[in-house]
């Protein structure tokens, strides 16, 4: 695509949501999150996510249940099974918790416990979906539980999560970056500075809505916004 676009004098701008990963169903489609839910602090991705520092307190909240956990258990809706997990075939069959379309990993050496006790021993807490409003312990996009923020403010997380993008840019496939919702970053100023440095000054714009008399911070290393403020004025005129 990039080659054909460049042949026609067109550039390729990538729309980047810099600090969110999907919480998919089944969750093994997100290899990093699966690893954290299974291995907790021992996971190589433990520093990526919020809610991983308090394993003893229940770990990451997974508000996916259609009813309270006691009701779900009483109805036999959660089962312990052995499956070959797609993408992890090399590990062979492994114990997993299954709730309809949801599949969750099982912490090592807990699979022999009674089901209720087994659930209490995981690095995550399965919960009724309605408790997400009050008890969710990871940053998310507005109220979308299926987008979990990663700690892109940490240098090693930035480097790992942006490695592919930076490789594509260095290879000439990407010509610029549109950064989605930078206000959702823990430190947007630091992020733009880091991306600017990592790309040796690439063309970067911020998808940010400027309210009223608000101005884009002058020390954000970007070339302005994607133009919502301008399009609002044009739309109002028309």
């Amino acid at each position: 695509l990039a080659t054909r676009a460049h042949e026609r004098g067109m550039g390729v701008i990538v729309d980047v949501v810099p600090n969110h990963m999907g919480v998919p169903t089944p969750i093994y489609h997100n290899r990093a999150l699966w690893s954290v839910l299974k291995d907790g602090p021992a996971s190589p991705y433990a520093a990526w996510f919020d809610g991983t520092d308090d394993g003893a307190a229940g770990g990451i909240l997974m508000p996916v249940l259609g009813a309270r956990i006691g009701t779900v258990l009483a109805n036999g809706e959660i089962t312990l099974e052995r499956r070959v997990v797609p993408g992890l075939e090399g590990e062979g069959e492994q114990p997993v918790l299954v709730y309809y379309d949801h599949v969750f990993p099982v912490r090592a050496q807990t699979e022999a416990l009674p089901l209720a006790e087994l659930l209490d021993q995981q690095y995550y807490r399965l919960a009724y979906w309605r408790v997400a409003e009050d008890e969710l312990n990871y940053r998310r996009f507005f109220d979308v539980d299926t987008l979990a923020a990663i700690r892109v403010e940490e240098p090693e997380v930035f480097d790992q999560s942006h490695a592919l993008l930076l490789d594509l840019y260095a290879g000439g496939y990407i010509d610029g970056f549109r950064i989605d919702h930078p206000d959702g970053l823990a430190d947007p100023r630091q992020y733009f500075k880091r991306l600017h440095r990592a790309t040796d000054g690439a063309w970067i714009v911020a998808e940010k809505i400027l309210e009223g008399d608000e101005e884009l911070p002058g020390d954000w290393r970007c070339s302005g916004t994607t133009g919502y403020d301008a399009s609002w004025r044009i739309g109002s005129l028309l």
Side-chain angles (χ1 to χ4, degrees):
L1 172 63
T3 299
R4 293 295 181 88
H6 290 151
E7 287 173 353
R8 289 159 175 76
M10 300 169 64
V12 176
I13 308 302
V14 292
D15 182 10
V16 181
V17 183
N19 70 330
H20 282 91
M21 297 188 79
V23 182
T25 303
I27 214 160
Y28 51 68
H29 291 303
N30 183 331
R31 195 72 55 81
L33 185 55
W34 177 271
S35 173
V36 170
L37 297 185
K38 182 177 182 180
D39 298 322
S43 166
Y45 301 99
W48 284 38
F49 297 92
D50 296 331
T52 58
D53 301 325
D54 57 351
I60 300 176
L61 184 72
M62 292 282 108
V64 301
L65 305 181
R68 297 286 179 181
I69 185 70
T71 302
V72 171
L73 283 172
N75 291 339
E77 295 174 87
I78 298 177
T79 57
L80 177 65
E81 302 179 13
R82 294 192 65 84
R83 292 187 180 182
V84 175
V85 176
L88 298 172
E89 289 87 355
E91 298 181 14
E93 282 193 347
Q94 57 181 289
V96 294
L97 288 167
V98 179
Y99 175 73
Y100 296 101
D101 293 336
H102 295 276
V103 181
F104 293 92
V106 174
R107 180 178 176 176
Q109 299 179 338
T110 64
E111 60 265 31
L113 297 172
L115 188 55
E117 188 176 345
L118 182 152
L119 289 170
D120 287 338
Q121 293 298 314
Q122 302 311 304
Y123 289 116
Y124 55 89
R125 179 163 68 92
L126 297 183
Y128 182 34
W129 66 272
R130 289 186 180 274
V131 309
E133 287 298 320
D134 303 315
E135 300 180 32
L136 202 71
N137 60 350
Y138 59 79
R139 287 170 285 168
R140 61 183 176 177
F141 180 76
F142 293 107
D143 62 351
V144 182
D145 301 337
T146 52
L147 286 175
I150 57 174
R151 294 168 173 164
V152 75
E153 64 272 13
E154 299 294 338
E156 63 274 16
V157 179
F158 174 91
D159 291 343
Q160 293 181 64
S161 62
H162 283 59
L164 175 60
L165 287 171
L166 296 177
D167 285 346
L168 291 172
Y169 178 75
Y173 298 103
I174 291 173
D175 300 291
F177 300 84
R178 176 190 188 270
I179 303 303
D180 204 45
H181 295 288
D183 287 326
L185 294 164
D187 191 342
R189 180 177 294 103
Q190 173 209 69
Y191 176 83
F192 282 115
K193 181 178 180 181
R194 187 167 286 151
L195 183 60
H196 182 271
R197 185 189 304 126
T199 57
D200 196 25
W203 186 81
I204 302 167
V205 290
E207 192 225 7
K208 175 173 170 56
I209 299 170
L210 297 174
E211 292 285 352
D213 295 329
E214 181 185 9
E215 295 185 1
L216 190 71
D219 56 355
W220 283 17
R221 298 302 298 269
C222 65
S223 299
T225 72
T226 51
Y228 285 136
D229 42 341
S231 63
W232 172 75
R233 286 172 173 81
I234 293 169
S236 298
L237 174 63
L238 294 176

